[in-house]
Amino acid sequence: LRTDIERLAKRAHAPLAQGFRTYLVSQLRAPRCAEDLGDAAQVVEWFNSSFRGELPAIAEAESQPSQRNGALKADSYFESDDSKDLGAALTRLQFTPGGKPRSSADRSTSEWRRLLADFLRDLAAWKPAGSDVDVLHQKTYVLRAALALTPPGEDRDRMIATYVTLLKSSEAERQSPAEWLWQVKALIQVASGDLPKLTQEFRASGDAGLVLAAP
């Protein structure tokens, strides 16, 4: 706001400064959550030193919230035993028993495909804790990690279809649309070589959000 306020101040400084002071104090004194986003002290310092004119400076007491409400509660993911088992299965897809990253050749063998089939079976049965959006984040995170390892072919196509099914069936699309859309974009990024397939899946999903997001 500072640039616009300073421009307007050249025409009507006194009433504008008074109104802006009232606005700042009202905002700064309002109840807020436990965390502060941004540095309100900067705008108070600017007002007091450069803009207030003959008005009284904004005092410390006028810039403190009248009430602090709840703090952000971050739920932990992947804490349950089945979550850890799934994580171990994902590790087996990424690394050999000796701890070396699996090469493209390793990830084309029948043994690796068997490990992938076991992983996808466990993923389908997995019921992570939390809200709908928590469930979506956890399942898509794990699936996306496996998708990045999977060579082109039937397995990769099935995983893309599974991801799209998760997206279109999740209540997070209505409850937390911004977070849902983030997961849509994350799939588009990791499936960059499969955009025609992904576009087809999005358009065939019957979900308006996915149809609009089709790459």
Side-chain angles (χ1 to χ4, degrees):
L1 293 173
R2 284 178 54 178
T3 300
D4 294 333
I5 288 292
E6 287 170 339
R7 186 182 299 117
L8 287 170
K10 294 179 181 179
R11 299 184 179 181
H13 181 272
L16 184 61
Q18 180 61 65
F20 195 55
R21 188 187 194 284
T22 301
Y23 165 80
L24 285 178
V25 172
S26 176
Q27 293 294 312
L28 295 170
R29 289 290 298 150
R32 70 183 72 162
C33 59
E35 297 83 11
D36 286 324
L37 303 179
D39 186 3
Q42 289 184 358
V43 72
V44 172
E45 181 182 358
W46 164 78
F47 181 89
N48 287 344
S49 62
S50 305
F51 192 72
R52 66 186 178 92
E54 297 181 357
L55 294 172
I58 296 176
E60 178 72 17
E62 293 178 291
S63 64
Q64 299 302 313
S66 59
Q67 178 180 328
R68 289 286 188 178
N69 295 323
L72 173 68
K73 181 180 181 294
D75 293 320
S76 298
Y77 289 169
F78 309 116
E79 293 293 327
S80 64
D81 290 341
D82 55 349
S83 298
K84 293 176 182 177
D85 290 343
L86 197 64
L90 181 60
T91 299
R92 287 192 290 272
L93 292 174
Q94 294 174 301
F95 300 99
T96 66
K100 294 182 178 181
R102 291 187 183 272
S103 65
S104 296
D106 292 333
R107 290 181 276 116
S108 298
T109 63
S110 58
E111 172 63 17
W112 191 86
R113 292 190 67 190
R114 183 189 65 77
L115 290 174
L116 179 63
D118 291 343
F119 168 83
L120 293 176
R121 184 196 62 236
D122 294 342
L123 177 63
W126 182 39
K127 298 186 183 302
S131 65
D132 291 321
V133 71
D134 290 326
V135 170
L136 178 68
H137 284 325
Q138 292 176 82
K139 284 203 167 189
T140 52
Y141 175 85
V142 174
L143 184 57
R144 196 162 60 249
L147 182 61
L149 296 169
T150 305
E154 293 181 1
D155 291 332
R156 188 173 174 89
D157 289 348
R158 280 196 294 270
M159 292 173 72
I160 290 174
T162 299
Y163 200 125
V164 172
T165 298
L166 282 172
L167 289 170
K168 74 177 185 179
S169 62
S170 176
E171 286 298 317
E173 182 177 4
R174 286 159 289 280
Q175 297 171 357
S176 305
E179 295 183 66
W180 179 86
L181 184 59
W182 187 90
Q183 291 294 357
V184 174
K185 292 182 177 180
L187 173 59
I188 292 172
Q189 290 178 343
V190 77
S192 58
D194 303 276
L195 291 185
K197 170 70 175 177
L198 191 59
T199 297
Q200 179 182 350
E201 290 285 347
F202 277 15
R203 291 177 177 171
S205 68
D207 182 277
L210 290 176
V211 171
L212 289 173

